[in-house]
Amino acid sequence: MLSPADLIRDNYGRLGIVLWEASAPDESWLKIQKDSRIRSVGACRWWTVAPLIGGGVCVPEPLAEYVRPATVDDALQVAREHKMSYFTLVKVFPRLAELMLPPALE
C-alpha cells in the first residue's frame, strides 16, 4: 500500500513523489484515457503524484510501482527545477522550507 512521500514509478514509467490520496476520476475521464490499463483498473485507491519531471498526475495504486521512500532531497530537486511545485511539495516535506526559499509569485 502506498502512502504520501513514497517515490513511485507510474504507469508511464515516470518517477514521482506521492503527495496525497486523490478522489477516483469519473467514468467519462477514464473512457478517454489512452492507457487501457487505466480504463480497466476498477475500484481502487488513487494518488496525486508529483512527477520528478514536473507537473502533477493522478495514478491508480495498482499501476504504481513502489521504488523507495522519497527524501527531502528528491523534493528539493523537483522544486529547484519546477519552482511552482515548491508550494505543493512543502506540504508533504515541511523541511523543504528550511532548505529553499519559496519562489516569487509573478
Side-chain angles (χ1 to χ4, degrees), residues 4-93:
D6 284 344
L7 185 71
I8 62 140
R9 190 172 309 280
D10 72 9
N11 54 304
Y12 287 107
R14 299 172 292 205
L15 286 173
I17 299 170
V18 175
L19 300 173
W20 47 74
E21 192 169 350
S23 299
D26 63 32
E27 196 64 33
S28 62
W29 184 86
L30 290 170
K31 286 180 182 178
I32 63 171
Q33 298 307 300
K34 294 179 183 175
D35 184 344
S36 63
R37 296 173 300 165
I38 292 279
R39 293 192 305 268
S40 62
V41 75
C44 65
R45 292 175 80 177
W46 284 74
W47 295 94
T48 300
V49 175
L52 298 188
I53 60 171
V57 296
C58 285
V59 179
E61 188 164 283
L63 299 183
E65 174 191 347
Y66 174 83
V67 176
R68 62 174 168 76
T71 65
V72 71
D73 289 334
D74 294 324
L76 183 60
Q77 172 192 339
V78 175
R80 282 183 176 151
E81 293 179 29
H82 309 283
K83 303 259 186 255
M84 297 316 289
S85 66
Y86 171 90
F87 298 102
T88 301
L89 290 167
V90 77
K91 294 175 186 176
V92 178
F93 295 94

